[in-house]
Amino acid sequence: MKEKYARDWTFICDPESLPTNWREILNTEQTAWVESPLHNKDVDSEGNLIKPHLHIVMMYKGARSYSHMQTVTNLLDQEAPKVVVATRGMIRFLIHEDNPSKYHYNYEEIICHGGANIEKYFHVSPTAKRREKQKKDQQILMNVITYTIKNKIISYDDLMQYILDNKKYDWLNVLSTGHRAMIVSALIESLERKKLTNK
């Protein structure tokens, strides 16, 4: 069978079995490579925790053979390497960015080595950012409305006191927008009238 060649390769590491100088070993490849956050919250299909592990992505300027990459993983005493079919998808998988059913790890915990630049793989268009912010703001507003109704808040200053006491700055940001503040203010007035009517 013909040996595989590719520029981008990936493999999984068991942190407990890695040699202490494993990063130095990978740095001798003199190429860009990326280290995932420690995946210690992954679960299998039955909901059982999977053994903590790391995902490594090696990105070469020129193609490397499977046998070369196997030499690298053997030096680390780790699983066999695999060709990266889609680099963008693989890099985003390091934090499960596109996998809603999996635990999402922190982007800030991805470690880049050898001049690796991964920002382009997480680029979001300004339009998409606006939509995402609107969606988030709407959800926060729903949380404010739900709290106000559930706790029968009939004074805007009581709501503000709750926000300050609980450091809900995201609520404060959302309510700083005129029309959202008006919605909540109208709701509080309605709840107040309802309370007076029911006396």
Side-chain angles (χ1 to χ4, degrees), residues 34-42 53-57 87-112 118-119 121-124:
V34 185
E35 172 187 345
S36 76
L38 178 64
H39 281 218
N40 58 359
K41 292 183 173 63
D42 291 3
H53 57 279
L54 295 168
H55 291 271
I56 304 297
V57 182
T87 305
R88 181 178 185 275
M90 185 65 230
I91 294 295
R92 291 168 69 84
F93 179 78
L94 298 180
I95 57 171
H96 297 155
E97 182 73 8
D98 305 310
N99 302 77
S101 62
K102 292 180 179 287
Y103 180 85
H104 280 208
Y105 295 95
N106 189 349
Y107 170 82
E108 302 298 327
E109 292 178 14
I110 297 175
I111 304 175
C112 294
I118 61 170
E119 286 184 14
Y121 300 118
F122 292 91
H123 175 71
V124 181

Side-chain angles (χ1 to χ4, degrees), residues 11 15 20 36 57 69-70 72 74 90 107 111 114 117 129 132 138 143-145 159 174 178 182 188 199:
F11 52 91
T20 54
S36 76
V57 182
M69 294 309 302
Q70 194 169 38
V72 174
N74 285 346
M90 185 65 230
Y107 170 82
I111 304 175
N117 183 357
K129 280 183 179 177
E132 189 61 33
Q138 285 173 348
N143 293 341
V144 174
I145 289 171
L159 178 60
V174 166
M182 285 173 62
I188 289 171
K199 278 188 175 180

Side-chain angles (χ1 to χ4, degrees), residues 40-97:
N40 58 359
K41 292 183 173 63
D42 291 3
V43 294
D44 60 22
S45 57
E46 295 178 356
N48 300 311
L49 271 175
I50 296 171
K51 189 175 181 181
H53 57 279
L54 295 168
H55 291 271
I56 304 297
V57 182
M58 307 290 293
M59 298 177 288
Y60 296 90
K61 290 181 180 178
R64 293 294 185 275
S65 66
Y66 176 83
S67 57
H68 173 83
M69 294 309 302
Q70 194 169 38
T71 301
V72 174
T73 55
N74 285 346
L75 283 170
L76 303 181
D77 192 25
Q78 300 301 314
E79 290 185 16
K82 293 180 181 177
V83 171
V84 174
V85 178
T87 305
R88 181 178 185 275
M90 185 65 230
I91 294 295
R92 291 168 69 84
F93 179 78
L94 298 180
I95 57 171
H96 297 155
E97 182 73 8

